Amino acid sequence: MKIERSFHSRIKKMDFENISFGNHYSDHMYYSEFRNGKWINSIIKPFGNIMFSPGSLVFHYGQSVFEGMKAYKDKHEEVFLFRPKENFKRMNRSAIRLEMTTIPEYIFMNGLKNLIDIDRDWVPKKYGQSLYIRPILIAIDKCLSAKPSNDYLFMIISTPADYYYKKPLKIKIEEKYSRSASGGVGFTKASGNYASSFYPTRLAKEEGFDQILWTDSSTHTLIEESGTMNVFFWLKNKLITPLSNENILSGITCKSILSLAKEEGLEIEERKLKVSEIIDGLKNKILKEAFGCGTAVVVTYFEIISYKGKNFFLPDLLDKERISIRLRKKLLDIQHNLSVDPFGWRLKLKRIL
Amino acid sequence: MKIERSFHSRIKKMDFENISFGNHYSDHMYYSEFRNGKWINSIIKPFGNIMFSPGSLVFHYGQSVFEGMKAYKDKHEEVFLFRPKENFKRMNRSAIRLEMTTIPEYIFMNGLKNLIDIDRDWVPKKYGQSLYIRPILIAIDKCLSAKPSNDYLFMIISTPADYYYKKPLKIKIEEKYSRSASGGVGFTKASGNYASSFYPTRLAKEEGFDQILWTDSSTHTLIEESGTMNVFFWLKNKLITPLSNENILSGITCKSILSLAKEEGLEIEERKLKVSEIIDGLKNKILKEAFGCGTAVVVTYFEIISYKGKNFFLPDLLDKERISIRLRKKLLDIQHNLSVDPFGWRLKLKRIL
């Protein structure tokens, strides 16, 4: 792998006190091309524009999959990745479903480790802050036939991140639009899954909600996931999350929250979850908490769930009473190297470059 | 609109006797940017690469919609577009569903007319050949937040086209994978719809089929469309096509075929069409023809339809007995200015440049 250092760091222009998610990229990027069946031209180089043919397949037929992951600092300013191999594996599951090349582990992991090492100053220091890392694989063949690309480009870019949501969320249970079909690509991080959610999400926002709670496209009676989040419900003293299926993104934060909850001794159910159970729980005040989790949002609880035009308020608990807040702290403590890591989730980044 | 002519035409390298679809682009492209709410920098310029930030939203969240249309030549080498305003309107319907900007008619139509005028030598001359035209709208914001882009790029590129399929098709009725969800974006030409079809299509090809016949994602009992084609069935002396809905692309060739069939006096039904009707028709030999149509494929008939592992052969008719062949000729005759155009579908391209 070639390393080409930036001679004009933009870090002094970065205001770590007011991080606006996704607007500032770190100084470097990782770049590797898959051409004629081989990975070539792997390089860490200054973040910058790339030339594309207007015929590039990614524009026309949407062969594009990505990942979201984070690097955290501890109080000694050591940098830690969180479960990066889970992202590596999920990216390849996405790539397979979209009929793209898979990425070898050395390409993904070496690119990742070297990039975050060279840009370690971009990892913010405060609790809850992180460097959000975006690996992305896109199709670059220039032929307009509607068929899979032979050649691909794999890149990793990163951007400092603070809390994604600054307050509890108002969520609308969707009854008309759908995020994914059974037999479709809902379980992948395909770029097309996001564009299709923007219109219904805008409609929900115009009604005063922050996000949609997606339901199955066939019946709209089963809970799936929320915008960029998996969801949990604390119902009748059980922590329930919809069973991962082909419509639902298999969340790494979700799996981590499940492990932490089990470690706490909470009773857990991963199963089909009916909208009617949630609504009954809200009406009967036995649904105590509902929250979303994901790499970008970490853990964020809901204050309102709306269904068929009616808003239901979740109980107004104190933070110290909330399971969501407790699990969030447990997760962040591990991520920031403030607690032991019984699961082996943290990967301390060696100083290589 | 600025015009920047190519001084190095590539047309001499183009072998019009052996056209390989999508591999050769005409000399010029149309390019226009939507920034801060305004269309700017509209230009016709030599086809060539464009700079993109690795953070461009099109890569990450799939905001990308396109169109497919064709220009034909008559025997006097005049060039005709076919129903271009239908493409213009459909592109904006796609853009709206993907929460993108819409394109003003003057941007679309002036770009189109001037581009094809300047590249009119790239329109092949033979019957059935054409210049395939690809308008595409993509998101270019560089912020990694999962939200709609503010800025967009609209381009038109083109590539000479011959017959897409050179022989009748073997089609598999899909029972597991899905192309689109109700409440989803199946009716749009969103790039993500295509990437998600590649994996199941490859599986079908490995079984010896050319394309999939998609069914509804909820029950897999209703016929939707085939790969890049709407579908027609000649069953019990009626021409039946699935009623356009939110899962099915509203095809311009499909609508044209319907008009031509009506003009012929054929009995037509646009309605929900069950897989079981097709299978019964095949078993009882009352399904006489089945065919797909679309801009790229024009009209192509099926020789085999497979369901649950069993191949059903369509009747082996002579070309002169086939409704598909007759309708195809009627359509191409209008497109090539060989017959009257009672519908006003042809748009003769003025020599402007």
Side-chain angles (χ1 to χ4, degrees), chain B residues 217-265:
Chain B
S217 68
S218 299
T219 66
H220 295 294
T221 60
L222 297 170
I223 301 284
E224 292 193 337
E225 61 170 274
S226 191
T228 74
M229 299 178 277
N230 294 108
V231 287
F232 283 86
F233 300 88
W234 180 238
L235 182 65
K236 293 186 205 168
N237 293 317
K238 288 175 190 163
L239 192 63
I240 308 174
T241 191
L243 186 65
S244 210
N245 65 23
E246 64 188 353
N247 300 344
I248 300 176
L249 185 77
S250 170
I252 294 158
T253 309
C254 175
K255 289 205 302 191
S256 306
I257 290 292
L258 280 169
S259 298
L260 291 170
K262 272 179 205 159
E263 195 199 32
E264 277 227 342

Side-chain angles (χ1 to χ4, degrees), chain A residues 56 60 84 151 190 199 221 310 315 335 343:
Chain A
S56 300
H60 300 268
D151 296 345
Y199 176 82
T221 60
K310 193 166 175 203
Q335 289 169 328
F343 309 100

Side-chain angles (χ1 to χ4, degrees), chain B residues 53-77:
Chain B
S53 165
S56 300
L57 268 189
V58 60
F59 300 136
H60 300 269
Y61 305 124
Q63 274 191 308
S64 167
V65 297
F66 69 88
E67 275 301 321
M69 54 202 303
K70 282 180 172 173
Y72 291 87
K73 267 191 182 153
D74 72 2
K75 52 191 167 185
H76 307 295
E77 302 210 4

Side-chain angles (χ1 to χ4, degrees), chain B residues 29-279:
Chain B
M29 59 189 285
Y30 176 66
Y31 174 103
S32 190
E33 296 170 10
F34 183 77
R35 291 191 190 272
N36 303 312
K38 283 184 188 152
W39 287 94
I40 57 167
N41 297 333
S42 297
I43 184 170
I44 284 171
K45 61 180 181 178
F47 180 93
N49 290 351
I50 296 168
M51 296 285 255
F52 284 86
S53 165
S56 300
L57 268 189
V58 60
F59 300 136
H60 300 269
Y61 305 124
Q63 274 191 308
S64 167
V65 297
F66 69 88
E67 275 301 321
M69 54 202 303
K70 282 180 172 173
Y72 291 87
K73 267 191 182 153
D74 72 2
K75 52 191 167 185
H76 307 295
E77 302 210 4
E78 292 296 334
V79 174
F80 297 86
L81 295 169
F82 184 72
R83 309 186 79 175
K85 288 206 181 164
E86 294 292 319
N87 294 94
F88 160 69
K89 287 188 271 184
R90 187 172 64 184
M91 189 152 197
N92 279 342
R93 290 200 299 274
S94 296
I96 287 167
R97 179 60 182 84
L98 269 80
E99 198 64 8
M100 303 168 78
T101 187
T102 53
I103 302 163
E105 188 169 334
Y106 76 93
I107 290 285
F108 188 98
M109 291 303 293
N110 286 353
L112 176 67
K113 288 180 197 171
N114 280 284
L115 176 69
I116 307 308
D117 181 36
I118 203 168
D119 277 345
R120 61 170 62 229
D121 289 346
W122 286 85
V123 183
K125 295 164 195 173
K126 283 191 186 161
Y127 189 79
Q129 293 183 338
S130 60
L131 184 66
Y132 180 87
I133 304 164
R134 169 58 56 87
I136 184 162
L137 178 69
I138 57 181
I140 54 171
D141 274 17
K142 298 166 199 166
C143 174
L144 273 199
S145 275
K147 64 182 186 195
S149 191
N150 292 306
D151 296 345
Y152 294 90
L153 183 53
F154 174 60
M155 295 183 285
I156 309 178
I157 57 178
S158 74
T159 176
D162 205 336
Y163 293 104
Y164 199 87
Y165 291 116
K166 293 196 168 60
K167 53 191 181 65
L169 302 182
K170 299 174 178 66
I171 300 288
K172 179 193 173 183
I173 297 178
E174 183 62 48
E175 299 168 80
K176 181 178 175 189
Y177 296 101
S178 306
R179 184 184 163 275
S180 67
S182 65
V185 298
F187 70 92
T188 71
K189 283 188 89 73
S191 65
N193 288 343
Y194 295 78
S196 61
S197 75
F198 290 161
Y199 175 82
T201 302
R202 195 248 304 158
L203 296 183
K205 284 184 178 175
E206 285 176 0
E207 294 179 70
F209 303 104
D210 298 299
Q211 274 296 349
I212 281 170
L213 184 52
W214 297 104
T215 52
D216 71 292
S217 68
S218 299
T219 66
H220 295 294
T221 60
L222 297 170
I223 301 284
E224 292 193 337
E225 61 170 274
S226 191
T228 74
M229 299 178 277
N230 294 108
V231 287
F232 283 86
F233 300 88
W234 180 238
L235 182 65
K236 293 186 205 168
N237 293 317
K238 288 175 190 163
L239 192 63
I240 308 174
T241 191
L243 186 65
S244 210
N245 65 23
E246 64 188 353
N247 300 344
I248 300 176
L249 185 77
S250 170
I252 294 158
T253 309
C254 175
K255 289 205 302 191
S256 306
I257 290 292
L258 280 169
S259 298
L260 291 170
K262 272 179 205 159
E263 195 199 32
E264 277 227 342
L266 300 183
E267 195 173 337
I268 284 162
E269 288 183 356
E270 286 181 81
R271 62 170 172 87
K272 280 194 182 182
L273 181 57
K274 289 183 193 161
V275 172
S276 59
E277 292 178 73
I278 300 307
I279 302 306

